Structure formats: C-alpha cells, structure tokens
Amino acid sequence: MTPIILHITQAIDTLNKAVAAIPVLPTQPAPEVTSMMDIIIKGGVIMIPIGILSIIAVYVFIERYLTIRRHISSDVNFMNSINDFILAGKTDSALTLCRNTPKL
C-alpha cells in the first residue's frame, strides 16, 4: 500500500508545482458601461431635434402601416373589380366604379 500512496503524493506534488508555474495573466479593467442618457448628454443640443424626429418617424411608420393594412383588407373586392374591368378593356366601367365608390 505504501508505494501507491507514495505515487499519489508525488503526483499531487507534481500537479501543485505545475499549477504554481503557470504565469498569471494581467487582468484588464472592466469596459466602461455608458447608458443611453450619457450618450444623449454627450451629443449636445443637436440630439434634441434628432430625438424628436425619431419619435415622429416611428409614429408615422406605425400609423401608415395600420392605415394601409386596414384599407388593403377592406378593398379586395373593389380592386378585383377594377382589375377585371381593365383586363377586359372596359376602362369606362372601371372609371365609373371609381367615381361611385365612396372614399374611405
């Protein structure tokens, strides 16, 4: 039994020496975290109109998307009728349908 314990202790000593010989890498400082408010403040006065215009752009995009989506789904029959009239060469009928259809 003694030779097994001797081999184990020698292996542990060898591992300890190997771990001690590993060079320690220098640690890097943590990167500085900047918040959105810091970026806006660093941007100065010009950031105010950019922020306002960004909000307006998002509003217009959503409003136009919803409006177009609503009209496309409600005008399917109208567009099919116009398409059929134009393909049949009945442009007068298509024009009359356009004039008689109420605007949404």
Side-chain angles (χ1 to χ4, degrees):
M1 262 294 208
T2 328
I4 294 174
I5 294 175
L6 182 62
H7 287 301
I8 292 174
T9 56
Q10 287 175 350
I12 291 173
D13 288 339
T14 306
L15 285 174
N16 285 334
K17 288 177 185 176
V19 169
I22 295 174
V24 177
L25 296 175
T27 59
Q28 296 178 350
E32 182 181 336
V33 178
T34 57
S35 67
M36 186 63 91
M37 188 56 81
D38 292 336
I39 293 172
I40 291 171
I41 291 171
K42 288 180 183 178
V45 178
I46 196 67
M47 289 299 287
I48 295 170
I50 290 174
I52 292 170
L53 290 175
S54 296
I55 292 169
I56 292 171
V58 169
Y59 170 77
V60 168
F61 174 78
I62 292 171
E63 188 271 334
R64 288 287 88 200
Y65 174 76
L66 294 175
T67 302
I68 291 171
R69 187 171 171 199
R70 183 179 59 219
H71 287 298
I72 285 175
S73 63
S74 66
D75 293 333
V76 173
N77 292 331
F78 172 75
M79 292 303 293
N80 287 337
S81 299
I82 294 293
N83 190 27
D84 291 340
F85 283 140
I86 291 175
L87 290 177
K90 300 178 182 178
T91 55
D92 294 334
S93 299
L95 189 58
T96 304
L97 179 62
C98 290
R99 287 183 180 148
N100 293 335
T101 302
K103 294 181 182 179
L104 297 177

